[in-house]
Amino acid sequence: IPFQILDPAKNTGRSFLVLKGKSLSQYPQGMLLPFGNQTASELYFLQGCRWASTGPENKVAEYDVVYADSQIEMVPLRVERELVNFWGADDTPNSFLAWWHKNKGAETGLNLLAWPNPRPNVPIQYILFKSEGKAPVPMLFAVTASDTQIPVTALSPKPEKTSKNDTKGWFPVQAGLPDFRGTPLDLSALNQALVSEKYWGMEQSQEVT
């Protein structure tokens, strides 16, 4: 899913939206995003939050999608469900880790929330990004709209979560296992090992092993 991130050098030093939270009480409660009376089958939000000290059952922010006929569809944002903390970001049940970066040992990231529009044929006037003013500080980096529902890949940007199924370079081996007796894999040798300052061993009796 492509996103266009605003260049702060070309936008008076601003690149993304930050709403009010407990730690930033001076920030705005909400912001209006004009949509230009366009239709969309699905909306994709690139988002995150800071100070995510709340449970997944608590709504901390929302997107109000306002249609041309003045009807509204509300998209709830809950930490560890649709929203994720910027520090230690990962997948959630309802969103995907879209961007990940390790900086001096700390993991940071943003999530992608895909929202299927239940009224794809009705033009959208605007989207209201609104905070509940609780501890978490909601952040919105970009929104992408699509006229079709695009499946989001499960491939994660986190290196340890990326699996590969390319078998190029693999070679066949004969079925069965070799005889490991008398090798380091033969753990029975530990039963007779001595315990000293330099070596660990196992003591075996009826009461203790």
Side-chain angles (χ1 to χ4, degrees):
I1 308 298
F3 289 99
Q4 182 179 353
I5 310 296
L6 292 178
D7 183 355
K10 301 177 181 178
N11 194 47
T12 63
R14 295 172 172 85
S15 181
F16 56 95
L17 302 180
V18 181
L19 295 185
K20 180 179 180 179
K22 185 177 181 181
S23 298
L24 295 176
S25 57
Q26 75 276 19
Y27 278 51
Q29 189 86 30
M31 287 189 172
L32 205 63
L33 310 177
F35 205 81
N37 283 316
Q38 300 182 73
T39 58
S41 292
E42 193 149 7
L43 298 178
Y44 304 90
F45 300 91
L46 185 64
Q47 58 187 23
C49 71
R50 292 290 311 276
W51 297 284
S53 54
T54 186
E57 69 280 356
N58 298 320
K59 180 168 70 73
V60 300
E62 65 185 59
Y63 299 119
D64 290 338
V65 181
V66 183
Y67 298 91
D69 59 5
S70 299
Q71 292 196 38
I72 300 174
E73 287 285 343
M74 190 269 290
V75 184
L77 298 178
R78 296 159 291 186
V79 176
E80 300 302 333
R81 294 186 68 176
E82 295 85 15
L83 204 59
V84 70
N85 194 39
F86 180 73
W87 298 99
D90 208 336
D91 297 311
T92 72
N94 299 339
S95 67
F96 299 88
L97 182 64
W99 175 83
W100 176 88
H101 178 66
K102 196 167 186 177
N103 182 21
K104 298 180 180 179
E107 296 185 1
T108 61
L110 300 174
N111 274 39
L112 183 154
L113 174 65
W115 181 71
N117 184 4
R119 308 181 72 203
N121 298 319
V122 182
I124 299 174
Q125 288 190 60
Y126 56 84
I127 300 172
L128 176 61
F129 181 33
K130 186 167 60 176
S131 172
E132 297 285 342
K134 298 178 180 178
V137 173
M139 305 183 300
L140 176 61
F141 285 74
V143 183
T144 292
S146 174
D147 55 3
T148 58
Q149 292 186 6
I150 304 173
V152 181
T153 175
L155 186 65
S156 176
K158 294 186 76 171
E160 66 271 21
K161 296 184 68 175
T162 301
S163 62
K164 297 181 180 179
N165 56 9
D166 181 12
T167 58
K168 183 180 179 181
W170 290 28
F171 57 90
V173 297
Q174 187 176 358
L177 292 175
D179 187 355
F180 289 120
R181 288 175 295 179
T183 71
L185 290 179
D186 180 12
L187 299 183
S188 63
L190 291 176
N191 293 334
Q192 289 79 38
L194 297 176
V195 180
S196 69
E197 294 180 357
K198 296 184 178 180
Y199 302 98
W200 288 93
M202 295 177 64
E203 179 188 355
Q204 204 168 44
S205 67
Q206 292 181 356
E207 292 82 17
V208 61
T209 299

